[in-house]
Amino acid sequence: MTSTPPPGRHVVVGMTPEASRTCAALQDLGLSVTHLGEPSETELARAMAGGVSSLAVLLHNDTQALRYCLAAEHLRPGLPMVVAIFDKTAATQLVRVVPNCRVTSPADLATPSLVAACLPGDLAGLVREPSGWRAYPRAAAAPRPFALPPAMRFRAGLGKLLGQLRPHDSGSQILMTGLSGLLLLLLADTVAGVSLLHKPFVDAFHTAVQIVATVGPASSTGTQPAYVLFAALAMLVTIGLTAMFTAGIVEHLLSGRLIGLWGRRVLPRRGHVVVVGMGQVGLRLASELKALGLGVVGIERDRGAPNLMAARASGIPVLIGDGSRRAVLSKARVDRAVAFCAVGSDELDNIAAAVTARAVAPEIRVALRAGNHDAIAETRSLFHIGTVCDVTGLTAAYVVQCLVGRSPRTVVSDAGQLWVWDRLDGPIRMHSTSTECAH
């Protein structure tokens, strides 16, 4: 049975697009709404006096959101609340302290639709649950278990393997040039010692190591002049190669690199997904794609972005650069990628990046974050670029269902239409709403 909206007012805190859309959607349902920006404790207490049914805190600052929730729990213990918090640890602790609070974030709500947009087929959403991945097909069909096709998993694994020891910038090239030169000299001198001097392999290898280490063979007496000349030249060349290798190692270790030369943070060469914008949505999307088994390359223009270290700790390689530049996308090998996602906070930049990706790889699957600007939300031309994910609309749809007393499980976007999957009532179609709240 579908629950009826509770009586009384609904308080929405936050001067964010998500808060405005939530406020507008509640008003479209004929409900009373009090919309606050960043109220003081006195203003919050005044707004919550009387018949308040629920509270939504939709800010982009986790610390502020926590403060408002704790203050609201102190003012009205047990009041149903919905709060947007990105940090998983903070979200878990808040639910433990305030069990009547439902915690989510725009990143969590948008990820299922964005992940599905990166995959072939008729999927509108893909959610990771404790029991495994669950796919939500289009047209509100019944969800089903999902596993990444073996061909995509193999291609992603091959792309990561081909990315090992592949330099991607000048520092890495210096390091690999020095290392390759030293190994080549070591091999050449060992072969020369075995073939020309007829030494046992171990003795020839020992002499080669001496030359590469620039200490030279123990004695040149009785040695062929050609080999002596080769050894002398090899030691001179080794001086330069050792300097290059050492400089590359020092730069690699001390620069806090976001991309590795080997291991899990290498740049995949094929079968991966390129994610432009490593904010909250981009980081969460990249983490889910990685958990699914796909390779990921992040692109972020701001070298000081707060989520870069989190991406590094999660094993996600990130290129620093403008995602709308052809050179940057070429370095990310977008022409060999399976999908391209532009999910930065600036929608116009996302569109520019998507257009460039189409120019570099015309057949690539494209998804972009858009929906805040009226001009973008009202035009259908975006759907010719790729799959459009309205993160703000997804958040508002989910929050509204929580505030009116339902138990939403997830929300997905299907060709511009939003569907909220209720735990009891199944799919609920959400109608489009205005983007502004009438105060």
Side-chain angles (χ1 to χ4, degrees):
M1 178 182 298
T2 303
S3 57
T4 57
R9 289 182 300 109
H10 302 272
V11 178
V12 179
V13 175
M15 292 302 295
T16 60
E18 294 82 6
S20 296
R21 290 280 287 274
T22 299
C23 180
L26 291 171
Q27 291 174 340
D28 288 346
L29 294 175
L31 301 176
S32 175
V33 183
T34 299
H35 187 189
L36 306 173
E38 295 183 6
S40 64
E41 293 185 7
T42 302
E43 292 171 335
L44 181 63
R46 187 183 304 116
M48 295 187 62
V52 175
S53 299
S54 62
L55 169 70
V57 181
L58 304 175
L59 300 169
H60 293 165
N61 186 301
D62 287 356
T63 303
Q64 282 185 314
L66 284 170
R67 183 173 67 86
Y68 283 126
C69 284
L70 295 177
E73 177 66 12
H74 174 72
L75 294 170
R76 292 286 303 274
L79 179 71
M81 288 185 283
V82 184
V83 57
I85 293 181
F86 177 74
D87 185 80
K88 291 290 188 181
T89 302
T92 302
Q93 293 302 314
L94 180 60
V95 172
R96 185 180 64 83
V97 175
V98 187
N100 50 289
C101 180
R102 185 188 293 268
V103 180
T104 186
S105 73
D108 290 331
L109 297 174
T111 297
S113 296
L114 289 169
V115 172
C118 297
L119 302 174
D122 61 344
L123 300 183
L126 191 63
V127 180
R128 180 168 49 149
E129 298 180 348
S131 58
W133 292 91
R134 180 174 294 273
Y136 291 81
R138 297 189 182 280
R144 62 176 185 263
F146 177 85
L148 190 68
M152 292 190 69
R153 189 178 296 275
F154 173 79
R155 189 180 178 192
L158 180 62
K160 296 175 186 176
L161 180 62
L162 294 175
Q164 303 294 324
L165 297 177
R166 297 288 291 269
H168 57 275
D169 60 3
S170 58
S172 300
Q173 290 174 353
I174 290 174
L175 189 155
M176 292 305 299
T177 300
L179 177 61
S180 300
L182 291 174
L183 293 177
L184 183 61
L185 283 176
L186 183 64
L187 176 63
D189 192 79
T190 301
V191 172
V194 172
S195 59
L196 298 179
L197 304 182
H198 307 291
K199 290 183 177 182
F201 174 79
V202 174
D203 292 341
F205 179 74
H206 181 263
T207 302
V209 171
Q210 288 182 310
I211 293 175
V212 171
T214 67
V215 297
S219 174
S220 60
T221 304
T223 306
Q224 295 183 18
Y227 179 78
V228 175
L229 178 60
F230 167 79
L233 293 176
M235 284 187 286
L236 291 176
V237 173
T238 299
I239 294 175
L241 293 175
T242 302
M244 294 175 64
F245 178 69
T246 303
I249 283 287
V250 171
E251 197 271 342
H252 190 80
L253 294 177
L254 298 183
S255 63
R257 285 180 175 271
L258 300 171
I259 299 175
L261 269 174
W262 57 83
R264 59 178 185 163
R265 283 191 296 109
V266 299
L267 279 180
R269 312 304 294 180
R270 62 183 61 185
H272 57 287
V273 179
V274 179
V275 178
V276 176
M278 293 305 292
Q280 294 183 358
V281 176
L283 178 60
R284 191 60 49 83
L285 172 61
S287 299
E288 291 298 289
L289 290 170
K290 191 171 183 294
L292 185 62
L294 290 172
V296 183
V297 175
I299 298 178
E300 173 59 52
R301 68 169 58 187
D302 182 7
R303 191 176 295 273
N307 288 330
L308 290 183
M309 289 301 102
R312 188 177 191 273
S314 300
I316 300 170
V318 180
L319 281 169
I320 301 299
D322 187 348
S324 63
R325 301 292 297 273
R326 180 184 287 264
V328 176
L329 296 187
S330 297
K331 185 178 292 187
R333 298 310 301 267
V334 73
D335 58 320
R336 297 289 185 90
V338 297
F340 176 87
C341 295
V343 292
S345 57
D346 191 312
E347 297 178 351
L348 297 179
D349 286 345
N350 292 338
I351 295 173
V355 171
T356 305
R358 282 289 191 196
V360 176
E363 301 301 323
I364 194 171
R365 194 173 292 108
V366 173
L368 67 155
R369 171 185 179 180
N372 286 344
H373 298 313
D374 291 339
I376 298 174
E378 293 173 1
T379 180
R380 301 291 296 182
S381 63
L382 291 180
F383 291 91
H384 298 294
I385 301 175
T387 302
V388 178
C389 182
D390 182 1
V391 176
T392 303
L394 290 168
T395 304
Y398 183 91
V399 172
V400 166
Q401 294 302 307
C402 293
L403 295 181
V404 300
R406 294 194 177 99
S407 301
R409 183 174 187 173
T410 190
V411 57
V412 298
S413 177
D414 183 4
Q417 181 64 57
L418 303 180
W419 292 88
V420 179
W421 283 81
D422 190 276
R423 296 180 185 275
L424 301 177
D425 300 329
I428 302 171
R429 183 176 179 177
M430 299 295 295
H431 298 285
S432 60
T433 62
S434 59
T435 60
E436 296 298 331
C437 174
H439 296 278

